[in-house]
Amino acid sequence: MKDDNCIFCKIANGEIPSTTLYEDDTFRVIFDLNPATKGHCLILPKEHYENLTVLPDETAAKVLPLAGKIGKAMEEALGAKGFNVVQNNGEAAGQTVHHFHTHIIPRYGNPDEMVLWKPGTSTPEGLREVCEEIKGKLG
Ligand code: 5GP
Ligand code: ZN
């Protein structure tokens, strides 16, 4: 399924031209318009899925192998020293385009390049409690 109002549907299916790093029947890999670093790419499925919670397992299973190949090529071609694979789900998590996509962000060793969060604290009871809450919905 495609969504007529979705920019990534249009890009992934070639309706809007893009610089394409990789393409197969399932995905198109493009460069982010506002790259975090040189080479920052996005893996887009050609079908419209809002986020990871509705992505078919078969498609999801292909994302990480592809991300790994692209990351390795970034290290070899661009001299990246590592790369982040980032995938945002929901506005609260920073998702701005609501067509599932995976960021591959090469890192060059600069301190301000990290994906950051503020480490918190935990207790064994707190972890057990949250574990039980989530487990109840895992099935
Ligand atoms: P999100 O925040 O949803 O995980 O990431 C969306 C990403 O898509 C952002 O990094 C943004 O720069 C990129 N983006 C938004 N619109 C376009 C576009 O039209 N073309 C390309 N190549 N990237 C886009
Ligand atoms: Zn879409």
Side-chain angles (χ1 to χ4, degrees):
M1 279 276 284
K2 318 285 185 283
D3 178 334
D4 287 347
N5 299 313
C6 173
I7 181 96
F8 279 5
C9 277
K10 293 191 172 81
I11 293 173
N13 292 282
E15 267 180 68
I16 295 177
S18 61
T19 302
T20 296
L21 179 65
Y22 173 85
E23 184 180 7
D24 61 22
D25 289 346
T26 313
F27 302 106
R28 183 187 296 270
V29 179
I30 62 165
F31 291 92
D32 197 293
L33 205 57
N34 300 113
T37 62
K38 181 182 169 188
H40 180 170
C41 280
L42 302 171
I43 300 176
L44 312 181
K46 292 185 172 178
E47 297 292 317
H48 182 88
Y49 304 106
E50 185 169 344
N51 60 40
L52 183 59
T53 67
V54 292
L55 191 72
D57 289 357
E58 193 194 339
T59 308
K62 294 175 180 168
V63 172
L64 274 185
L66 181 55
K69 274 186 205 154
I70 293 168
K72 186 164 180 255
M74 286 169 168
E75 290 178 341
E76 290 174 3
L78 304 176
K81 296 187 167 63
F83 58 96
N84 294 107
V85 178
V86 178
Q87 200 276 303
N88 300 325
N89 297 282
E91 277 171 31
Q95 186 177 10
T96 58
V97 180
H98 296 276
H99 172 127
F100 173 92
H101 55 278
T102 302
H103 298 256
I104 305 158
I105 308 174
R107 299 300 184 181
Y108 298 93
N110 303 315
D112 61 345
E113 282 182 346
M114 304 297 283
V115 175
L116 289 177
W117 63 87
K118 194 170 157 227
T121 56
S122 66
T123 61
E125 310 84 69
L127 297 182
R128 272 196 294 273
E129 220 171 274
V130 71
C131 181
E132 288 308 316
E133 282 174 357
I134 299 168
K135 254 190 195 169
K137 295 287 180 190
L138 254 185

